[in-house]
Amino acid sequence: FFFFFFFQAEDGIRDRSPSRGLGDVYKRQLQDTSVISHIFRGVLKSKITCADCRKESSITESFMDLSLEVNRNSSMTELFEEFFKVDHLNNKNKYFCEACETFNDATKQFFIDS
């Protein structure tokens, strides 16, 4: 019910101009000025660093929520620490570095971007 209410409220506040494809949807997400979007939307940055050449690759995307893996007896601080911890890409999960032109070990980490 709670999510339904917010989605309905956001739909009622948004500009109802017709969309003309995926590009318009992306532009609209960036320009969305609804009250709900203003309060809950953030920008998540994913950064991957090659272990060999140290080249960084990053992707930024808009989000309205974060998917946290909830464990029994975990505090909110622990949940966020787990979400934002450095992840090591190695073994069968190596990263293809465009600068090195090969699969290498790497690190990946999420950040909240401002």
Side-chain angles (χ1 to χ4, degrees), residues 2 6 34-43 63-65:
F2 186 69
F6 277 116
S34 73
V35 174
I36 301 301
S37 178
H38 180 70
I39 293 170
F40 292 104
R41 188 177 73 209
V43 178
F63 71 92
M64 293 286 285
D65 60 11

Side-chain angles (χ1 to χ4, degrees), residues 48-58 95 97-100 106:
I48 298 176
T49 306
C50 176
D52 287 353
C53 71
R54 308 302 297 162
K55 181 180 184 310
E56 293 181 355
S57 173
S58 63
Y95 168 71
C97 177
E98 292 181 7
C100 298

Side-chain angles (χ1 to χ4, degrees), residues 43-44 63-69 80 83-84 110-112:
V43 178
L44 187 67
F63 71 92
M64 293 286 285
D65 60 11
L66 296 173
S67 296
L68 302 176
E69 187 175 325
F80 280 112
F83 185 83
F84 291 108
F110 290 110
F111 300 91
I112 299 291

Side-chain angles (χ1 to χ4, degrees), residues 19-101:
S19 176
R20 295 194 175 116
L22 192 56
D24 285 347
V25 170
Y26 179 71
K27 287 178 192 173
R28 186 171 165 160
Q29 283 179 349
L30 294 177
Q31 297 171 350
D32 190 357
T33 57
S34 73
V35 174
I36 301 301
S37 178
H38 180 70
I39 293 170
F40 292 104
R41 188 177 73 209
V43 178
L44 187 67
K45 180 178 184 179
S46 170
K47 182 175 80 170
I48 298 176
T49 306
C50 176
D52 287 353
C53 71
R54 308 302 297 162
K55 181 180 184 310
E56 293 181 355
S57 173
S58 63
I59 297 173
T60 341
E61 59 186 328
S62 174
F63 71 92
M64 293 286 285
D65 60 11
L66 296 173
S67 296
L68 302 176
E69 187 175 325
V70 178
N71 298 315
R72 179 175 270 180
N73 300 325
S74 293
S75 70
M76 288 301 292
T77 302
E78 291 169 331
L79 295 175
F80 280 112
E81 285 174 350
E82 180 68 22
F83 185 83
F84 291 108
K85 76 176 184 181
V86 175
D87 188 19
H88 297 277
L89 307 177
N90 51 28
N91 300 327
K92 293 182 179 180
N93 194 23
K94 289 190 177 198
Y95 168 71
F96 183 80
C97 177
E98 292 181 7
C100 298
E101 296 183 343

